[in-house]
Amino acid sequence: MGRGKLRIYLGAAPGVGKTYAMLSEAHRRVERGTDCAVAFVEHYGRPRTEVMLHGLEQIPRKELAYRDTVFTEMDVDAVLERAPAVALVDELAHTNIPGSRNDKRWQDVEELLAAGIHVVSTVNIQHLESLGDVVESITGVRQRETVPDEVVRRADQIELVDMSPQALRRRMAHGNIYKPDKVDAALSNYFRPGNLTALRELALLWVADRVDEYLQEYRSEHHVSKIWGSRERIVVGLTGGPEGRTLIRRAARLAEKGAGGEVLAVYIARSDGLTSASTKELTAQQTLVEDLGGTFHHVIGDDIPSALLEFARGVNATQIVLGSSRRKAWQYVFGPGVGATVARESGPDLDVHIVTHEEVAKGRGLPVARGARLGRSRIIAGWLVGVAGPALLALLLTHVEADLGLANDMLLFLALTVAAALLGGLFPALASAAVGSLLLNWFFTPPLHRLTIADPRNIVAIGVFFAVAVSVASVVDLAARRTHQAARLRAESEILSFLAGSVLRGETTLDALLERVRETFGMESVALLERENDVAPWTCAGSVGARSLLVQRPEEADVDVPVGDHMALALSGRVLPAEDRRVLAAFAAQAAVILDRQRLESEAEQARALAEGNRIRTALLAAVSHDLRTPLAAIKAAVTSLRSDDVAWSEEDQAELLEGIEEGADRLDHLVGNLLDMSRLQTGTVTPLIREIDLDEVVPMALGGVPEDSVDLDVPESLPMVAVDPGLLERSVANIVENAVKYSSGRQPVLVAASALGNRVEVRVVDRGPGVPDEAKERIFEPFQRYGDAPRGTGVGLGLAVARGFAEAMGGTLNAEDTPGGGLTMVLTLKAVVGRPQIGPRLPAEAAS
């Protein structure tokens, strides 16, 4: 049975119509005869959405009890047993109730897909994990329920459910989303026009990127080379010279003029030789383009204009930005230059911008690549000079009346041989020497017009001429080969230096390295394959490029580089020369190192989690065996005394014993509460319900557990409101105050004061106790830690750890400072709601969480 397909309806905010669109799709499929069932859909009392559920089969949900409340979740087992062709699963980012089969609903969906069931689901853009910080900066609300981006990206279909902010607010005002008593709060908080506009832009851009990935994959699979100008992509051609920064900034300005513009800087190194490129300058230019939001690419190409155009068409670019040539006027005899060639061959679908800069015509040296390896045109020219040149020279000399002498004639023929060697290498020069020797013998050595030589001195002269010609040709050919080898090694060293630089800069993800291999060697796809032993099947540890060209075994690839006995780097697209395998071997070894490091990091993280869990369990056992026994012993002693028939207790004695039982029970309740809170923080199940509230409504309630005369309260009514979870804030302040009272000297009451500072509110709890040294200020916030291991009264050392955990869960901070004159001050910092003097209705949970 194959894997099921996932379709996701993506929205920018609650209420845009994702669930409605999903249910409409379900009705269309049912009408076509598709077996479709509702695994989990929440209508939140919206009448139009609720009506859409009619006529659809709904699989019963599973009921789970949590904290004296019964919740319903999707019954994965029931869905798997029913096995519909299509299952509707709402709210992909939902966090399941503790005790469920999986922690997150997207994990439930993965099980359904693995079982071959197609799934249609919904998710809001703010729930994507990578956008959490961005959404928080826009709305001021931290999304606690998230789904990994990769889960959504792997969906077979993603459909954007779009709605303008004005239309969504009208829908909200008409009561189509929330109940009337919640509308005003929603419109004035989360559903402000600015928030909705920003979230809508995020959704549009994210979907545009995903569509672009589909387009690239389609073009690759269908071998489409023509540019489709779906969005502005600007390729910047870099030479490693100082003008590169100017070109990058110019390209960035061009990209800003078009929405969604993208800048791709590319440096092309010749495989048969390099121009003088500064590695330091290229690194600086890479940093600049990445700071401007672009990407840097490094590829190899024998013909720079062709390689640049091939890269631009491969990424579906619409514009190319090049700098005016730095060559001097006389250097144009070597060719028209890269800019002119690219502009001539770009075609009508690719615009080329030639940008002037300060380095124009200041010189860049001779083009090394032309002398590194003899091209076809030079070889032809060498043969013409070597064969036709001596014949023409002989014809010319025979028609000149002046007799130059045999020595001068030989020097002229030798000059042609040297020219043939410089142009065409060894074999044209050998041919020139042979032809020149025969012509000298025939036309210029007695007896003339015969291939015999009468004077022995002429024999020596012609022999020396031939030997000198062959020597010159050999030297020129050897120099050309050595130059090519040096240029090749220089190219390899530059590639390897970039590889080492990427490691030092922290670019250590496997996909990034494989993408660099694909771009560098111009391949269609690259995969790192591995297997457990010699007979086990190959598995893909990582891959980039066209999925249709990915191979399952190294033997199927165009190029494969083994890494050890059970790992190989497989490349598809074209066959590479053997000399490239040395650089590929370095990339393959680095890929294996990165894969091992990622796995070691994962194992180390798991080991750290296990070690932390063991430490918590050990401390918990110690707390249960020691700190909890004291109140239990007191309770048991009091109960035993009350049940004793040997003693007749007076009413005062009975009241005292009952009071002791009550105090012991309160201590147990407090200790167990802290233990449970710490467990929730450790497992990440604390989900604050943020709303706006005044501090003077919460802080006084937190002081109920301490004597009345032990605390002075100073919370001005003029303070701005704070965005917090009232229950978590009350518990956090209570733990801080109880800790301060416990360690205070008792001569002066603990001061609880609040003040506003910019966009935050600080609650300061000041005591006059012994204080804590600077090196121990952070340690006191760790679980089961008590400074000096000498607590006053009972406790397991969790109060401050729980207080800081709750503060951070609400987006605040908790730190310890010295009290001037002695003692300790706890500073609790919370987010202020600027410009909100009154308390609004509570924000709906699905918009706040």
Side-chain angles (χ1 to χ4, degrees), residues 764-767 815-820 823-827:
R764 307 178 74 87
V765 180
V766 184
D767 69 61
N815 297 294
E817 299 178 355
D818 290 329
T819 301
L824 189 67
T825 298
M826 292 290 177
V827 182

Side-chain angles (χ1 to χ4, degrees), residues 6-10 18-19 22 40 74 88-96 103-110 112-113 119-124 127-128 145-155 157-158:
L6 175 62
R7 177 171 184 169
I8 293 179
Y9 286 93
L10 178 68
K18 303 180 302 300
T19 305
M22 178 179 66
F40 188 96
M74 181 175 67
L88 307 184
V89 183
D90 205 4
E91 297 181 351
L92 186 63
H94 171 74
T95 300
N96 292 330
D103 293 334
K104 305 288 291 188
R105 183 165 292 163
W106 64 264
Q107 295 171 327
D108 297 337
V109 169
E110 287 293 323
L112 301 183
L113 294 173
V119 176
V120 183
S121 188
T122 65
V123 71
N124 283 329
H127 293 299
L128 294 182
E145 293 188 330
T146 60
V147 59
D149 289 47
E150 184 60 26
V151 174
V152 182
R153 286 185 178 275
R154 285 201 307 263
Q157 297 181 56
I158 299 177

Side-chain angles (χ1 to χ4, degrees), residues 254-287:
L254 289 174
E256 290 175 357
K257 295 180 180 179
E262 184 179 358
V263 177
L264 302 92
V266 57
Y267 171 69
I268 300 176
R270 299 180 189 270
S271 63
D272 57 356
L274 287 173
T275 54
S276 54
S278 169
T279 303
K280 180 180 179 181
E281 182 65 27
L282 281 176
T283 302
Q285 292 172 12
Q286 178 178 359
T287 302

Side-chain angles (χ1 to χ4, degrees), residues 111-316:
E111 287 196 36
L112 301 183
L113 294 173
I117 300 174
H118 302 319
V119 176
V120 183
S121 188
T122 65
V123 71
N124 283 329
I125 191 67
Q126 62 265 32
H127 293 299
L128 294 182
E129 198 168 75
S130 65
L131 300 178
D133 295 337
V134 179
V135 172
E136 183 180 11
S137 65
I138 294 172
T139 64
V141 177
R142 181 67 180 183
Q143 302 298 326
R144 300 297 171 181
E145 293 188 330
T146 60
V147 59
D149 289 47
E150 184 60 26
V151 174
V152 182
R153 286 185 178 275
R154 285 201 307 263
D156 299 276
Q157 297 181 56
I158 299 177
E159 182 171 337
L160 178 66
V161 182
D162 189 29
M163 177 176 288
S164 68
Q166 293 77 13
L168 181 58
R169 285 173 59 84
R170 283 197 302 271
R171 178 181 288 184
M172 175 76 70
H174 294 160
N176 294 332
I177 301 177
Y178 296 142
K179 295 180 179 179
D181 60 336
K182 299 179 180 179
V183 169
D184 290 339
L187 290 175
S188 59
N189 289 275
Y190 194 86
F191 289 84
R192 293 193 296 267
N195 289 359
L196 297 178
T197 302
L199 292 174
R200 187 190 189 197
E201 182 181 19
L202 278 179
L204 291 171
L205 291 176
W206 196 91
V207 173
D209 287 339
R210 187 69 183 101
V211 171
D212 184 63
E213 292 177 9
Y214 283 132
L215 178 61
Q216 293 292 350
E217 184 175 341
Y218 178 86
R219 284 167 50 85
S220 177
E221 292 177 354
H222 292 79
H223 305 288
V224 178
S225 58
K226 185 177 179 181
I227 292 175
W228 293 352
S230 54
R231 64 184 296 189
E232 290 295 332
R233 277 192 182 83
I234 304 174
V235 171
V236 185
L238 301 178
T239 64
E243 77 281 359
R245 305 186 191 189
T246 301
L247 303 183
I248 292 172
R249 294 188 181 97
R250 176 61 174 165
R253 290 197 296 272
L254 289 174
E256 290 175 357
K257 295 180 180 179
E262 184 179 358
V263 177
L264 302 92
V266 57
Y267 171 69
I268 300 176
R270 299 180 189 270
S271 63
D272 57 356
L274 287 173
T275 54
S276 54
S278 169
T279 303
K280 180 180 179 181
E281 182 65 27
L282 281 176
T283 302
Q285 292 172 12
Q286 178 178 359
T287 302
L288 175 61
V289 71
E290 290 174 351
D291 290 342
L292 294 175
T295 56
F296 183 87
H297 307 266
H298 187 193
V299 301
I300 290 180
D302 293 328
D303 187 349
I304 289 183
S306 299
L308 183 61
L309 289 170
E310 182 180 353
F311 176 83
R313 292 191 174 99
V315 298
N316 203 29

Side-chain angles (χ1 to χ4, degrees), residues 562-842:
V563 188
D565 296 331
H566 304 129
M567 187 176 293
L569 187 66
L571 300 88
S572 301
R574 63 189 179 97
V575 179
L576 296 177
E579 55 193 11
D580 285 336
R581 295 183 69 88
R582 178 165 50 189
V583 179
L584 271 177
F587 276 104
Q590 183 62 30
V593 170
I594 289 176
L595 182 61
D596 289 341
R597 182 165 58 247
Q598 289 179 347
R599 290 174 175 173
L600 289 174
E601 290 175 353
S602 177
E603 292 175 0
E605 184 63 30
Q606 293 177 3
R608 282 193 294 269
L610 290 174
E612 179 65 17
N614 288 333
R615 189 182 70 84
I616 295 295
R617 281 192 292 271
T618 302
L620 178 59
L621 289 174
V624 171
S625 63
H626 180 270
D627 295 278
L628 299 184
R629 293 178 64 181
T630 301
L632 282 174
I635 293 174
K636 182 173 178 59
V639 172
T640 302
S641 299
L642 287 174
R643 296 188 61 187
S644 175
D645 298 332
D646 300 337
V647 181
W649 301 101
S650 64
E651 293 183 0
E652 292 79 4
D653 293 335
Q654 291 180 1
E656 184 178 352
L657 290 173
L658 291 174
E659 183 180 357
I661 293 174
E662 184 178 9
E663 290 179 357
D666 290 339
R667 291 178 184 176
L668 283 177
D669 180 68
H670 181 73
L671 293 175
V672 172
N674 275 336
L675 288 172
L676 293 176
D677 289 337
M678 198 65 235
S679 175
R680 292 171 58 205
L681 290 171
Q682 292 289 334
T683 56
T685 57
V686 176
T687 304
L689 298 177
I690 304 297
R691 69 185 183 97
E692 299 171 4
I693 196 169
D694 285 319
L695 274 180
D696 56 7
E697 294 186 21
V698 179
V699 175
M701 299 173 60
L703 308 182
V706 297
E708 295 183 0
D709 56 350
S710 62
V711 177
D712 284 343
L713 186 61
D714 182 13
V715 180
E717 295 182 357
S718 59
L719 287 177
M721 302 173 72
V722 290
V724 296
D725 183 311
L728 297 185
L729 177 60
E730 179 183 346
R731 190 62 177 273
S732 182
V733 173
N735 283 356
I736 298 171
V737 173
E738 288 177 8
N739 184 80
V741 172
K742 183 189 302 181
Y743 287 92
S744 182
S745 62
R747 294 188 299 270
Q748 297 184 21
V750 172
L751 174 62
V752 179
S755 60
L757 184 63
N759 61 347
R760 62 185 188 273
V761 172
E762 289 186 350
V763 179
R764 307 178 74 87
V765 180
V766 184
D767 69 61
R768 294 293 179 177
V772 176
D774 291 339
E775 63 271 13
K777 282 188 171 63
E778 283 300 314
R779 193 167 65 247
I780 62 176
F781 292 104
E782 297 178 4
F784 304 103
Q785 294 291 324
R786 293 171 295 191
Y787 174 62
D789 255 350
R792 300 186 181 184
T794 59
V796 292
L798 286 178
L800 294 182
V802 170
R804 171 174 275 191
F806 284 170
E808 292 176 349
M810 295 182 294
T813 60
L814 177 61
N815 297 294
E817 299 178 355
D818 290 329
T819 301
L824 189 67
T825 298
M826 292 290 177
V827 182
L828 175 62
T829 305
L830 305 169
K831 290 183 179 179
V833 182
V834 181
R836 298 286 300 162
Q838 296 180 354
I839 302 173
R842 184 172 178 175

Side-chain angles (χ1 to χ4, degrees), residues 300-346:
I300 290 180
D302 293 328
D303 187 349
I304 289 183
S306 299
L308 183 61
L309 289 170
E310 182 180 353
F311 176 83
R313 292 191 174 99
V315 298
N316 203 29
T318 57
Q319 303 180 53
I320 295 179
V321 175
L322 299 173
S324 297
S325 178
R326 288 188 284 129
R327 296 190 298 177
K328 294 183 181 296
W330 64 269
Q331 291 178 321
Y332 281 94
V333 299
F334 296 103
V338 174
T341 305
V342 170
R344 183 181 66 248
E345 299 179 359
S346 61

